[in-house]
Amino acid sequence: MTVKSFYVRTMLRQYDKQLIAGRRINRYMGISRAHDREDSASSLSMKRQAMIERVSREIVENLIFVGSTNPIVQEIKEELEKEVHEKLTFTFPVGMMDMQILKDTPNGPQPVSGAELGRILDKLWEITLDKVSATML
């Protein structure tokens, strides 16, 4: 008995989504425990900043790598690509716990590593914080 490739691809795509959801829950639980240990912020500006960072973390860790069609996520991606002057692809490779950023080259997608990866992630975080802060009340 043979299995059609469509069903196999669908199954693998669903499995990939489940892996990403598992990573998201794992990170959220760690963040939640860390926030429970911290003193509760009493000032409104500290609470706002904490909320901005939480939303930004969610955007960076999940929506960007899942491929959301959210307009804010699209704006962040476009602005990041303008800053680094390259087309970027964000992925969570199957079997790996860490994200991977690929840049498009004439030889095909190549993984970004080292200092360039750190620079791109710092810029991504900065842009995300700015966008979230600008859109929050």
Side-chain angles (χ1 to χ4, degrees):
M1 181 169 135
T2 62
V3 178
K4 298 190 185 252
S5 64
F6 169 77
Y7 296 116
V8 172
R9 280 189 306 230
T10 303
M11 178 191 65
L12 290 174
R13 191 175 309 122
Q14 183 64 30
Y15 179 67
D16 190 39
K17 287 180 183 179
Q18 290 172 349
L19 287 174
I20 291 170
R23 289 183 195 120
R24 181 184 314 156
I25 291 169
N26 215 4
R27 283 195 185 104
Y28 179 73
M29 295 304 289
I31 292 166
S32 169
R33 283 186 223 115
H35 283 289
D36 289 343
R37 284 184 237 127
E38 294 176 0
D39 294 332
S40 60
S42 60
S43 83
L44 191 57
S45 65
M46 289 178 71
K47 288 180 181 180
R48 183 180 189 280
Q49 186 62 32
M51 180 60 76
I52 289 170
E53 288 181 8
R54 189 176 307 141
V55 170
S56 296
R57 188 175 299 113
E58 179 73 17
I59 288 172
V60 169
E61 290 180 351
N62 299 309
L63 297 179
I64 288 182
F65 294 99
V66 171
S68 174
T69 59
N70 182 315
I72 299 294
V73 173
Q74 295 302 323
E75 288 176 23
I76 292 169
K77 284 182 180 181
E78 290 169 7
E79 191 170 330
L80 180 64
E81 288 174 355
K82 285 179 191 174
E83 292 282 335
V84 298
H85 307 294
E86 293 180 305
K87 175 97 171 104
L88 301 172
T89 305
F90 302 89
T91 63
F92 268 118
V94 176
M96 294 178 64
M97 290 302 289
D98 292 332
M99 65 185 166
Q100 190 173 34
I101 300 175
L102 305 172
K103 62 181 177 180
D104 288 341
T105 63
N107 298 333
Q110 297 293 323
V112 176
S113 61
E116 186 180 12
L117 178 62
R119 183 178 59 84
I120 290 172
L121 290 175
D122 288 344
K123 193 51 130 170
L124 173 62
W125 181 248
E126 180 182 316
I127 292 169
T128 305
L129 282 175
D130 290 344
K131 288 284 184 192
V132 171
S133 180
T135 58
M136 293 209 43
L137 298 175

